[in-house]
Amino acid sequence: MTQDSLTYLRKELQLLDNEELQEVCMRLARHKLENKELLYYLLVGSRDEDAYIAKAKADIEEAFDAMNMTSAYYANKSMRKALRIADKFIKYSKNPITEVELLMCYMQKLKHSGVQIRKSNVLAKLRIRVLTRIERAMEKLHEDLQFDYSERLKLL
């Protein structure tokens, strides 16, 4: 099956009436969990970004609470899982404030998790990559927000 361009698909969607468009959206949501999550964000989460961020933070906290700390290997896997959860929420939102908030929440939970980051080179590099991502996302924000977030970043 060949892929058509987005322009062609947009024109075809414009030809559909409301009922047919709803049916197409529901079929997309049934086929893949990621489509369903994105559709949920577009319909519900984008209206109240603060509630969306709070839900994302709760999911990140759950991942840290379930962290396996028996060895550095398992701690790394658990930390990466929590980061994947944050990345999923960031990908749907595409809002720099959401990205900074969620990554700072991740770093704060990492700091208070009790993981010996300095003993593992892999964990230290992961921490540095996340801090770099926070700084890059902060560059997209207004100067006042940049200042506020930079103050919080210094605490991490």
Side-chain angles (χ1 to χ4, degrees):
M1 184 172 183
T2 60
Q3 296 284 329
D4 289 316
S5 68
L6 286 177
T7 307
Y8 175 75
L9 293 174
R10 183 179 299 124
K11 288 178 185 175
E12 288 297 318
L13 285 172
Q14 288 174 348
L15 297 176
L16 299 176
D17 64 359
N18 282 342
E19 289 181 23
E20 291 173 328
L21 190 59
Q22 285 178 352
E23 185 60 35
V24 167
C25 288
M26 292 309 296
R27 283 190 65 192
L28 274 173
R30 279 188 214 117
H31 283 287
K32 202 169 185 184
L33 179 63
E34 193 171 284
N35 292 343
K36 187 176 183 179
E37 290 170 343
L38 178 59
L39 188 61
Y40 174 80
Y41 172 75
L42 293 173
L43 296 175
V44 179
S46 62
R47 292 184 194 141
D48 189 8
E49 196 74 24
D50 293 334
Y52 181 74
I53 291 171
K55 182 183 180 322
K57 286 181 178 181
D59 287 354
I60 293 169
E61 289 175 10
E62 278 182 32
F64 270 99
D65 291 342
M67 182 181 279
N68 186 349
M69 302 208 0
T70 57
S71 71
Y73 173 77
Y74 290 121
N76 181 29
K77 288 183 76 67
S78 298
M79 287 173 30
R80 291 186 52 79
K81 180 180 180 182
L83 186 59
R84 277 194 309 272
I85 291 169
D87 287 341
K88 177 179 65 170
F89 283 98
I90 291 168
K91 178 176 73 171
Y92 295 147
S93 176
K94 295 189 181 190
N95 185 345
I97 294 174
T98 304
E99 183 175 2
V100 171
E101 281 285 335
L102 295 182
L103 290 176
M104 288 188 113
C105 173
Y106 175 83
M107 289 302 295
Q108 190 173 21
K109 295 305 278 183
L110 178 63
K111 180 180 178 182
H112 297 297
S113 68
V115 176
Q116 300 290 332
I117 296 173
R118 302 206 193 307
K119 290 186 179 180
S120 172
N121 195 21
V122 175
L123 299 179
K125 287 182 180 179
L126 176 69
R127 181 180 174 272
I128 291 170
R129 279 196 313 267
V130 173
L131 288 173
T132 305
R133 283 182 59 192
I134 292 172
E135 290 169 356
R136 270 189 282 146
M138 282 175 38
E139 291 173 0
K140 301 174 190 173
L141 299 175
H142 189 268
E143 291 105 16
D144 294 338
L145 289 173
Q146 283 182 10
F147 179 75
D148 293 341
Y149 284 122
S150 64
E151 293 297 316
R152 283 181 50 196
L153 188 62
K154 288 177 186 175
L155 298 174
L156 296 176

PDB file of all heavy atoms in Angstrom, residues 10 15-17 19 22 24 27 29 36 38 44-45 49 51 60 64 68 73 76 78-79 87-89 93 103 106 114:
ATOM      1  N   ARG A  10      -5.451  15.596   3.677  1.00  0.00           N
ATOM      2  CA  ARG A  10      -6.203  16.739   4.207  1.00  0.00           C
ATOM      3  C   ARG A  10      -7.386  17.058   3.299  1.00  0.00           C
ATOM      4  O   ARG A  10      -8.503  17.304   3.760  1.00  0.00           O
ATOM      5  CB  ARG A  10      -5.293  17.951   4.338  1.00  0.00           C
ATOM      6  CG  ARG A  10      -5.996  19.153   4.958  1.00  0.00           C
ATOM      7  CD  ARG A  10      -5.085  20.360   5.115  1.00  0.00           C
ATOM      8  NE  ARG A  10      -3.971  20.052   5.998  1.00  0.00           N
ATOM      9  CZ  ARG A  10      -2.679  20.184   5.663  1.00  0.00           C
ATOM     10  NH1 ARG A  10      -2.351  20.620   4.478  1.00  0.00           N
ATOM     11  NH2 ARG A  10      -1.737  19.895   6.522  1.00  0.00           N
ATOM     12  N   LEU A  15     -13.577  16.493   2.514  1.00  0.00           N
ATOM     13  CA  LEU A  15     -14.746  16.041   1.764  1.00  0.00           C
ATOM     14  C   LEU A  15     -15.728  15.253   2.630  1.00  0.00           C
ATOM     15  O   LEU A  15     -16.885  15.089   2.261  1.00  0.00           O
ATOM     16  CB  LEU A  15     -14.309  15.179   0.570  1.00  0.00           C
ATOM     17  CG  LEU A  15     -13.446  15.883  -0.489  1.00  0.00           C
ATOM     18  CD1 LEU A  15     -13.005  14.881  -1.545  1.00  0.00           C
ATOM     19  CD2 LEU A  15     -14.203  17.036  -1.113  1.00  0.00           C
ATOM     20  N   LEU A  16     -15.265  14.756   3.781  1.00  0.00           N
ATOM     21  CA  LEU A  16     -16.116  13.941   4.646  1.00  0.00           C
ATOM     22  C   LEU A  16     -17.058  14.814   5.471  1.00  0.00           C
ATOM     23  O   LEU A  16     -16.720  15.921   5.855  1.00  0.00           O
ATOM     24  CB  LEU A  16     -15.248  13.109   5.590  1.00  0.00           C
ATOM     25  CG  LEU A  16     -14.284  12.105   4.947  1.00  0.00           C
ATOM     26  CD1 LEU A  16     -13.451  11.440   6.020  1.00  0.00           C
ATOM     27  CD2 LEU A  16     -15.025  11.084   4.132  1.00  0.00           C
ATOM     28  N   ASP A  17     -18.245  14.263   5.762  1.00  0.00           N
ATOM     29  CA  ASP A  17     -19.136  14.971   6.676  1.00  0.00           C
ATOM     30  C   ASP A  17     -18.774  14.587   8.117  1.00  0.00           C
ATOM     31  O   ASP A  17     -17.878  13.772   8.350  1.00  0.00           O
ATOM     32  CB  ASP A  17     -20.604  14.690   6.352  1.00  0.00           C
ATOM     33  CG  ASP A  17     -20.995  13.235   6.536  1.00  0.00           C
ATOM     34  OD1 ASP A  17     -20.121  12.434   6.904  1.00  0.00           O
ATOM     35  OD2 ASP A  17     -22.174  12.911   6.320  1.00  0.00           O
ATOM     36  N   GLU A  19     -20.193  12.801  10.563  1.00  0.00           N
ATOM     37  CA  GLU A  19     -20.346  11.403  10.990  1.00  0.00           C
ATOM     38  C   GLU A  19     -19.227  10.538  10.425  1.00  0.00           C
ATOM     39  O   GLU A  19     -18.673   9.688  11.129  1.00  0.00           O
ATOM     40  CB  GLU A  19     -21.708  10.869  10.571  1.00  0.00           C
ATOM     41  CG  GLU A  19     -22.854  11.451  11.363  1.00  0.00           C
ATOM     42  CD  GLU A  19     -24.188  10.868  10.938  1.00  0.00           C
ATOM     43  OE1 GLU A  19     -24.203   9.759  10.380  1.00  0.00           O
ATOM     44  OE2 GLU A  19     -25.203  11.537  11.188  1.00  0.00           O
ATOM     45  N   GLN A  22     -16.003  11.335  12.281  1.00  0.00           N
ATOM     46  CA  GLN A  22     -15.985  10.696  13.598  1.00  0.00           C
ATOM     47  C   GLN A  22     -15.658   9.218  13.477  1.00  0.00           C
ATOM     48  O   GLN A  22     -14.903   8.669  14.281  1.00  0.00           O
ATOM     49  CB  GLN A  22     -17.334  10.873  14.297  1.00  0.00           C
ATOM     50  CG  GLN A  22     -17.562  12.261  14.829  1.00  0.00           C
ATOM     51  CD  GLN A  22     -18.938  12.390  15.459  1.00  0.00           C
ATOM     52  OE1 GLN A  22     -19.773  11.500  15.377  1.00  0.00           O
ATOM     53  NE2 GLN A  22     -19.179  13.531  16.091  1.00  0.00           N
ATOM     54  N   VAL A  24     -13.889   7.748  11.143  1.00  0.00           N
ATOM     55  CA  VAL A  24     -12.468   7.611  10.803  1.00  0.00           C
ATOM     56  C   VAL A  24     -11.611   7.776  12.056  1.00  0.00           C
ATOM     57  O   VAL A  24     -10.686   6.986  12.301  1.00  0.00           O
ATOM     58  CB  VAL A  24     -12.074   8.642   9.711  1.00  0.00           C
ATOM     59  CG1 VAL A  24     -10.571   8.736   9.563  1.00  0.00           C
ATOM     60  CG2 VAL A  24     -12.716   8.290   8.384  1.00  0.00           C
ATOM     61  N   ARG A  27     -11.924   4.695  14.287  1.00  0.00           N
ATOM     62  CA  ARG A  27     -11.171   3.558  13.738  1.00  0.00           C
ATOM     63  C   ARG A  27      -9.686   3.721  14.001  1.00  0.00           C
ATOM     64  O   ARG A  27      -8.993   2.757  14.336  1.00  0.00           O
ATOM     65  CB  ARG A  27     -11.421   3.421  12.243  1.00  0.00           C
ATOM     66  CG  ARG A  27     -12.774   2.791  11.944  1.00  0.00           C
ATOM     67  CD  ARG A  27     -12.924   2.427  10.510  1.00  0.00           C
ATOM     68  NE  ARG A  27     -11.972   1.380  10.154  1.00  0.00           N
ATOM     69  CZ  ARG A  27     -11.705   1.017   8.914  1.00  0.00           C
ATOM     70  NH1 ARG A  27     -12.317   1.614   7.909  1.00  0.00           N
ATOM     71  NH2 ARG A  27     -10.849   0.066   8.657  1.00  0.00           N
ATOM     72  N   ALA A  29      -8.368   5.348  16.526  1.00  0.00           N
ATOM     73  CA  ALA A  29      -8.167   5.174  17.968  1.00  0.00           C
ATOM     74  C   ALA A  29      -8.217   3.701  18.363  1.00  0.00           C
ATOM     75  O   ALA A  29      -7.534   3.284  19.297  1.00  0.00           O
ATOM     76  CB  ALA A  29      -9.218   5.957  18.739  1.00  0.00           C
ATOM     77  N   LYS A  36      -4.857   6.530  20.201  1.00  0.00           N
ATOM     78  CA  LYS A  36      -5.902   6.813  21.186  1.00  0.00           C
ATOM     79  C   LYS A  36      -5.432   7.873  22.177  1.00  0.00           C
ATOM     80  O   LYS A  36      -6.178   8.789  22.530  1.00  0.00           O
ATOM     81  CB  LYS A  36      -6.260   5.524  21.916  1.00  0.00           C
ATOM     82  CG  LYS A  36      -7.424   5.624  22.849  1.00  0.00           C
ATOM     83  CD  LYS A  36      -7.718   4.261  23.433  1.00  0.00           C
ATOM     84  CE  LYS A  36      -8.927   4.269  24.320  1.00  0.00           C
ATOM     85  NZ  LYS A  36      -9.218   2.938  24.855  1.00  0.00           N
ATOM     86  N   LEU A  38      -3.082  10.170  21.679  1.00  0.00           N
ATOM     87  CA  LEU A  38      -2.989  11.457  20.995  1.00  0.00           C
ATOM     88  C   LEU A  38      -4.370  12.063  20.791  1.00  0.00           C
ATOM     89  O   LEU A  38      -4.566  13.261  21.008  1.00  0.00           O
ATOM     90  CB  LEU A  38      -2.277  11.304  19.644  1.00  0.00           C
ATOM     91  CG  LEU A  38      -2.167  12.577  18.806  1.00  0.00           C
ATOM     92  CD1 LEU A  38      -1.420  13.662  19.558  1.00  0.00           C
ATOM     93  CD2 LEU A  38      -1.508  12.290  17.477  1.00  0.00           C
ATOM     94  N   VAL A  44      -9.226  16.471  24.840  1.00  0.00           N
ATOM     95  CA  VAL A  44      -9.436  16.793  26.244  1.00  0.00           C
ATOM     96  C   VAL A  44      -8.236  17.515  26.865  1.00  0.00           C
ATOM     97  O   VAL A  44      -8.381  18.560  27.478  1.00  0.00           O
ATOM     98  CB  VAL A  44      -9.743  15.508  27.052  1.00  0.00           C
ATOM     99  CG1 VAL A  44      -9.938  15.816  28.515  1.00  0.00           C
ATOM    100  CG2 VAL A  44     -10.956  14.804  26.477  1.00  0.00           C
ATOM    101  N   GLY A  45      -7.050  16.957  26.705  1.00  0.00           N
ATOM    102  CA  GLY A  45      -5.869  17.479  27.393  1.00  0.00           C
ATOM    103  C   GLY A  45      -5.437  18.852  26.960  1.00  0.00           C
ATOM    104  O   GLY A  45      -4.933  19.639  27.760  1.00  0.00           O
ATOM    105  N   GLU A  49      -4.168  22.435  30.047  1.00  0.00           N
ATOM    106  CA  GLU A  49      -2.773  21.985  30.035  1.00  0.00           C
ATOM    107  C   GLU A  49      -2.257  21.705  31.444  1.00  0.00           C
ATOM    108  O   GLU A  49      -1.462  20.797  31.647  1.00  0.00           O
ATOM    109  CB  GLU A  49      -1.900  23.040  29.342  1.00  0.00           C
ATOM    110  CG  GLU A  49      -0.537  22.554  28.934  1.00  0.00           C
ATOM    111  CD  GLU A  49      -0.541  21.630  27.738  1.00  0.00           C
ATOM    112  OE1 GLU A  49      -1.477  21.673  26.940  1.00  0.00           O
ATOM    113  OE2 GLU A  49       0.427  20.854  27.613  1.00  0.00           O
ATOM    114  N   ALA A  51      -3.945  20.470  34.032  1.00  0.00           N
ATOM    115  CA  ALA A  51      -4.413  19.143  34.444  1.00  0.00           C
ATOM    116  C   ALA A  51      -3.636  18.058  33.706  1.00  0.00           C
ATOM    117  O   ALA A  51      -3.334  17.001  34.280  1.00  0.00           O
ATOM    118  CB  ALA A  51      -5.905  19.003  34.173  1.00  0.00           C
ATOM    119  N   ILE A  60       4.712   9.866  36.139  1.00  0.00           N
ATOM    120  CA  ILE A  60       6.164   9.811  36.353  1.00  0.00           C
ATOM    121  C   ILE A  60       6.465   9.387  37.792  1.00  0.00           C
ATOM    122  O   ILE A  60       7.354   8.564  38.038  1.00  0.00           O
ATOM    123  CB  ILE A  60       6.805  11.180  36.023  1.00  0.00           C
ATOM    124  CG1 ILE A  60       6.697  11.463  34.524  1.00  0.00           C
ATOM    125  CG2 ILE A  60       8.265  11.225  36.466  1.00  0.00           C
ATOM    126  CD1 ILE A  60       7.055  12.884  34.134  1.00  0.00           C
ATOM    127  N   PHE A  64       8.579   6.101  39.266  1.00  0.00           N
ATOM    128  CA  PHE A  64       9.678   6.164  40.231  1.00  0.00           C
ATOM    129  C   PHE A  64       9.356   5.363  41.484  1.00  0.00           C
ATOM    130  O   PHE A  64      10.245   4.786  42.095  1.00  0.00           O
ATOM    131  CB  PHE A  64      10.014   7.612  40.588  1.00  0.00           C
ATOM    132  CG  PHE A  64      11.057   8.217  39.694  1.00  0.00           C
ATOM    133  CD1 PHE A  64      10.688   9.031  38.646  1.00  0.00           C
ATOM    134  CD2 PHE A  64      12.402   7.955  39.885  1.00  0.00           C
ATOM    135  CE1 PHE A  64      11.637   9.583  37.806  1.00  0.00           C
ATOM    136  CE2 PHE A  64      13.361   8.501  39.059  1.00  0.00           C
ATOM    137  CZ  PHE A  64      12.978   9.318  38.015  1.00  0.00           C
ATOM    138  N   ASN A  68      13.005  -0.336  40.480  1.00  0.00           N
ATOM    139  CA  ASN A  68      13.769  -1.463  40.983  1.00  0.00           C
ATOM    140  C   ASN A  68      15.187  -0.980  41.249  1.00  0.00           C
ATOM    141  O   ASN A  68      15.903  -0.606  40.331  1.00  0.00           O
ATOM    142  CB  ASN A  68      13.758  -2.590  39.945  1.00  0.00           C
ATOM    143  CG  ASN A  68      14.413  -3.841  40.447  1.00  0.00           C
ATOM    144  OD1 ASN A  68      15.057  -3.850  41.493  1.00  0.00           O
ATOM    145  ND2 ASN A  68      14.254  -4.916  39.703  1.00  0.00           N
ATOM    146  N   TYR A  73      21.969  -1.595  37.022  1.00  0.00           N
ATOM    147  CA  TYR A  73      21.365  -1.980  35.744  1.00  0.00           C
ATOM    148  C   TYR A  73      19.845  -1.811  35.788  1.00  0.00           C
ATOM    149  O   TYR A  73      19.244  -1.198  34.905  1.00  0.00           O
ATOM    150  CB  TYR A  73      21.738  -3.429  35.419  1.00  0.00           C
ATOM    151  CG  TYR A  73      21.035  -3.980  34.204  1.00  0.00           C
ATOM    152  CD1 TYR A  73      21.438  -3.624  32.929  1.00  0.00           C
ATOM    153  CD2 TYR A  73      19.958  -4.860  34.336  1.00  0.00           C
ATOM    154  CE1 TYR A  73      20.799  -4.124  31.808  1.00  0.00           C
ATOM    155  CE2 TYR A  73      19.302  -5.360  33.230  1.00  0.00           C
ATOM    156  CZ  TYR A  73      19.737  -4.993  31.963  1.00  0.00           C
ATOM    157  OH  TYR A  73      19.079  -5.482  30.863  1.00  0.00           O
ATOM    158  N   ASN A  76      18.801   1.812  36.125  1.00  0.00           N
ATOM    159  CA  ASN A  76      18.891   2.488  34.834  1.00  0.00           C
ATOM    160  C   ASN A  76      17.670   2.177  33.979  1.00  0.00           C
ATOM    161  O   ASN A  76      17.083   3.079  33.368  1.00  0.00           O
ATOM    162  CB  ASN A  76      20.178   2.069  34.112  1.00  0.00           C
ATOM    163  CG  ASN A  76      20.340   2.746  32.772  1.00  0.00           C
ATOM    164  OD1 ASN A  76      19.871   3.853  32.575  1.00  0.00           O
ATOM    165  ND2 ASN A  76      20.994   2.078  31.856  1.00  0.00           N
ATOM    166  N   SER A  78      14.698   1.316  34.992  1.00  0.00           N
ATOM    167  CA  SER A  78      13.532   1.965  35.586  1.00  0.00           C
ATOM    168  C   SER A  78      13.539   3.464  35.322  1.00  0.00           C
ATOM    169  O   SER A  78      12.495   4.060  35.034  1.00  0.00           O
ATOM    170  CB  SER A  78      13.504   1.714  37.090  1.00  0.00           C
ATOM    171  OG  SER A  78      13.398   0.331  37.358  1.00  0.00           O
ATOM    172  N   MET A  79      14.721   4.076  35.389  1.00  0.00           N
ATOM    173  CA  MET A  79      14.817   5.508  35.126  1.00  0.00           C
ATOM    174  C   MET A  79      14.502   5.817  33.672  1.00  0.00           C
ATOM    175  O   MET A  79      13.831   6.799  33.363  1.00  0.00           O
ATOM    176  CB  MET A  79      16.213   6.020  35.482  1.00  0.00           C
ATOM    177  CG  MET A  79      16.429   6.102  36.960  1.00  0.00           C
ATOM    178  SD  MET A  79      18.105   6.505  37.486  1.00  0.00           S
ATOM    179  CE  MET A  79      18.757   7.484  36.195  1.00  0.00           C
ATOM    180  N   ASP A  87       8.541  11.555  28.003  1.00  0.00           N
ATOM    181  CA  ASP A  87       8.687  11.874  26.578  1.00  0.00           C
ATOM    182  C   ASP A  87       7.379  11.697  25.819  1.00  0.00           C
ATOM    183  O   ASP A  87       7.083  12.464  24.903  1.00  0.00           O
ATOM    184  CB  ASP A  87       9.768  11.006  25.941  1.00  0.00           C
ATOM    185  CG  ASP A  87      11.164  11.428  26.354  1.00  0.00           C
ATOM    186  OD1 ASP A  87      11.326  12.570  26.819  1.00  0.00           O
ATOM    187  OD2 ASP A  87      12.094  10.607  26.206  1.00  0.00           O
ATOM    188  N   LYS A  88       6.600  10.702  26.201  1.00  0.00           N
ATOM    189  CA  LYS A  88       5.321  10.469  25.536  1.00  0.00           C
ATOM    190  C   LYS A  88       4.389  11.661  25.748  1.00  0.00           C
ATOM    191  O   LYS A  88       3.788  12.163  24.799  1.00  0.00           O
ATOM    192  CB  LYS A  88       4.676   9.184  26.082  1.00  0.00           C
ATOM    193  CG  LYS A  88       3.313   8.881  25.506  1.00  0.00           C
ATOM    194  CD  LYS A  88       2.751   7.600  26.069  1.00  0.00           C
ATOM    195  CE  LYS A  88       2.498   7.728  27.543  1.00  0.00           C
ATOM    196  NZ  LYS A  88       1.754   6.620  28.124  1.00  0.00           N
ATOM    197  N   PHE A  89       4.314  12.146  26.977  1.00  0.00           N
ATOM    198  CA  PHE A  89       3.462  13.304  27.263  1.00  0.00           C
ATOM    199  C   PHE A  89       3.990  14.558  26.566  1.00  0.00           C
ATOM    200  O   PHE A  89       3.220  15.375  26.079  1.00  0.00           O
ATOM    201  CB  PHE A  89       3.357  13.534  28.773  1.00  0.00           C
ATOM    202  CG  PHE A  89       2.437  12.581  29.466  1.00  0.00           C
ATOM    203  CD1 PHE A  89       2.914  11.465  30.124  1.00  0.00           C
ATOM    204  CD2 PHE A  89       1.070  12.788  29.455  1.00  0.00           C
ATOM    205  CE1 PHE A  89       2.062  10.590  30.767  1.00  0.00           C
ATOM    206  CE2 PHE A  89       0.203  11.922  30.096  1.00  0.00           C
ATOM    207  CZ  PHE A  89       0.703  10.818  30.745  1.00  0.00           C
ATOM    208  N   SER A  93       2.057  17.008  23.615  1.00  0.00           N
ATOM    209  CA  SER A  93       1.778  18.400  23.921  1.00  0.00           C
ATOM    210  C   SER A  93       2.509  19.360  22.985  1.00  0.00           C
ATOM    211  O   SER A  93       1.933  20.334  22.517  1.00  0.00           O
ATOM    212  CB  SER A  93       2.173  18.702  25.359  1.00  0.00           C
ATOM    213  OG  SER A  93       2.006  20.055  25.637  1.00  0.00           O
ATOM    214  N   LEU A 103      10.234  17.499  32.546  1.00  0.00           N
ATOM    215  CA  LEU A 103      11.637  17.101  32.705  1.00  0.00           C
ATOM    216  C   LEU A 103      12.182  17.537  34.060  1.00  0.00           C
ATOM    217  O   LEU A 103      12.981  16.814  34.668  1.00  0.00           O
ATOM    218  CB  LEU A 103      12.481  17.674  31.567  1.00  0.00           C
ATOM    219  CG  LEU A 103      12.226  17.054  30.190  1.00  0.00           C
ATOM    220  CD1 LEU A 103      13.050  17.759  29.123  1.00  0.00           C
ATOM    221  CD2 LEU A 103      12.506  15.560  30.188  1.00  0.00           C
ATOM    222  N   TYR A 106      10.907  15.078  36.487  1.00  0.00           N
ATOM    223  CA  TYR A 106      11.711  13.856  36.358  1.00  0.00           C
ATOM    224  C   TYR A 106      13.027  14.000  37.122  1.00  0.00           C
ATOM    225  O   TYR A 106      13.423  13.117  37.878  1.00  0.00           O
ATOM    226  CB  TYR A 106      11.974  13.562  34.880  1.00  0.00           C
ATOM    227  CG  TYR A 106      12.900  12.402  34.649  1.00  0.00           C
ATOM    228  CD1 TYR A 106      12.418  11.099  34.656  1.00  0.00           C
ATOM    229  CD2 TYR A 106      14.257  12.593  34.442  1.00  0.00           C
ATOM    230  CE1 TYR A 106      13.261  10.023  34.468  1.00  0.00           C
ATOM    231  CE2 TYR A 106      15.106  11.533  34.254  1.00  0.00           C
ATOM    232  CZ  TYR A 106      14.614  10.252  34.259  1.00  0.00           C
ATOM    233  OH  TYR A 106      15.447   9.191  34.076  1.00  0.00           O
ATOM    234  N   GLY A 114      17.248   8.363  45.604  1.00  0.00           N
ATOM    235  CA  GLY A 114      18.268   7.644  46.349  1.00  0.00           C
ATOM    236  C   GLY A 114      19.194   6.823  45.473  1.00  0.00           C
ATOM    237  O   GLY A 114      20.022   6.065  45.983  1.00  0.00           O
TER     238      GLY A 114
END
